[in-house]
Amino acid sequence: DAKTTQPTSMDCAEGRAANLPCNHSTISGNEYVYWYRQIHSQGPQYIIHGLKNNETNEMASLIITEDRKSSTLILPHATLRDTAVYYCIVRVPPGNQFYFGTGTSLTVIP
Amino acid sequence: NAGVTQTPKFQVLKTGQSMTLQCAQDMNHEYMSWYRQDPGMGLRLIHYSVGAGITDQGEVPNGYNVSRSTTEDFPLRLLSAAPSQTSVYFCASSQTFWLREKDNEQFFGPGTRLTVL
């Protein structure tokens, strides 16, 4: 039960912002939203996570709607190295079990 | 720190053979887990461990055994390999299992690509 819905694929021009949406309409109040990405067939890499507030780190920004039913991952200046599959994951209490969906395949175009 | 390491990187088995996929981490993490990823699919949780001596099943545990005798190691055993177990296997670890730790991200290994003929 992935609990999230993401578009299958997206394109983004190099240097532009990439906005990756995720729906999690059944999310509960204490469930975190995590984003990971997987480049080629490497192990997934952590990007960012949040609960209620918007979050920003050196890689990306995470915007969570007020009702928490959806979120958007923003890569502010996409590069070719950002081409990857991006997974939006709702982490279910009490523990650290992650349930991955099929993610969004982002292609950054030169 | 080497992080999460997995061996072997590639393996070909015949149906019915057994083998063990190795996973080790040097970050003193309590929580470790195994996932499989089939072509075009997301990762699915096989087994996980919240600490030495404690293991539990994930989404797809059938055909796999695990044990956790030390904090560092979490091997995955295929008792009698089947073609349906052809997949890429990822091991992951995080500091703890419990959500009280705000920044409890999971670190993934590079994967083992297994083919069962």
Side-chain angles (χ1 to χ4, degrees):
Chain A
D1 182 8
K3 301 191 67 162
T4 62
T5 304
Q6 299 176 253
T8 302
S9 63
M10 294 180 63
D11 293 338
C12 177
E14 188 178 16
R16 304 295 295 270
N19 296 281
L20 290 87
C22 178
N23 286 327
H24 30 80
S25 57
T26 61
I27 195 169
S28 299
N30 59 349
E31 292 177 340
Y32 285 83
V33 178
Y34 271 69
W35 284 83
Y36 278 73
R37 72 180 182 184
Q38 188 175 26
I39 298 173
H40 298 298
S41 296
Q42 299 174 19
Q45 174 191 22
Y46 167 81
I47 301 173
I48 198 167
H49 73 282
L51 182 62
K52 297 179 182 178
N53 300 319
N54 298 338
E55 301 286 346
T56 296
N57 63 20
E58 64 278 5
M59 290 183 68
S61 295
L62 175 61
I63 308 298
I64 302 174
T65 58
E66 192 168 343
D67 63 7
R68 301 188 71 241
K69 293 184 184 302
S70 66
S71 60
T72 300
L73 177 74
I74 301 172
L75 307 178
H77 305 286
T79 71
L80 298 179
R81 288 178 295 178
D82 291 323
T83 292
V85 177
Y86 288 77
Y87 295 99
C88 169
I89 302 159
V90 170
R91 201 173 93 183
V92 180
N96 209 13
Q97 295 149 303
F98 279 32
Y99 294 94
F100 287 76
T102 54
T104 296
S105 178
L106 174 70
T107 301
V108 180
I109 302 169
Chain B
N1 286 347
V4 180
T5 57
Q6 294 184 237
T7 57
K9 286 187 170 56
F10 301 93
Q11 183 70 49
V12 179
L13 293 177
K14 295 181 179 178
T15 297
Q17 287 185 315
S18 62
M19 79 159 295
T20 299
L21 280 63
Q22 301 292 343
C23 173
Q25 52 87 14
D26 61 358
M27 298 173 281
N28 200 32
H29 283 173
E30 292 181 358
Y31 181 75
M32 296 185 74
S33 55
W34 277 102
Y35 295 84
R36 61 176 287 174
Q37 185 173 33
D38 300 326
M41 305 279 289
L43 282 72
R44 291 185 292 170
L45 183 65
I46 305 173
H47 285 285
Y48 64 95
S49 168
V50 301
I54 306 170
T55 64
D56 206 346
Q57 298 180 350
E59 293 179 85
V60 288
N62 293 339
Y64 307 95
N65 279 354
V66 292
S67 60
R68 184 96 179 270
S69 55
T70 67
T71 300
E72 294 78 18
D73 301 299
F74 190 43
L76 178 72
R77 296 186 188 85
L78 283 70
L79 301 177
S80 179
S84 60
Q85 294 179 303
T86 294
S87 191
V88 181
Y89 291 84
F90 290 101
C91 179
S93 75
S94 63
Q95 186 173 6
T96 75
F97 176 70
W98 305 108
L99 276 175
R100 69 175 186 270
E101 298 294 333
K102 180 176 181 291
D103 297 315
N104 202 9
E105 67 178 276
Q106 290 200 34
F107 295 85
F108 285 81
T112 293
R113 284 145 186 81
L114 175 68
T115 301
V116 182
L117 302 175

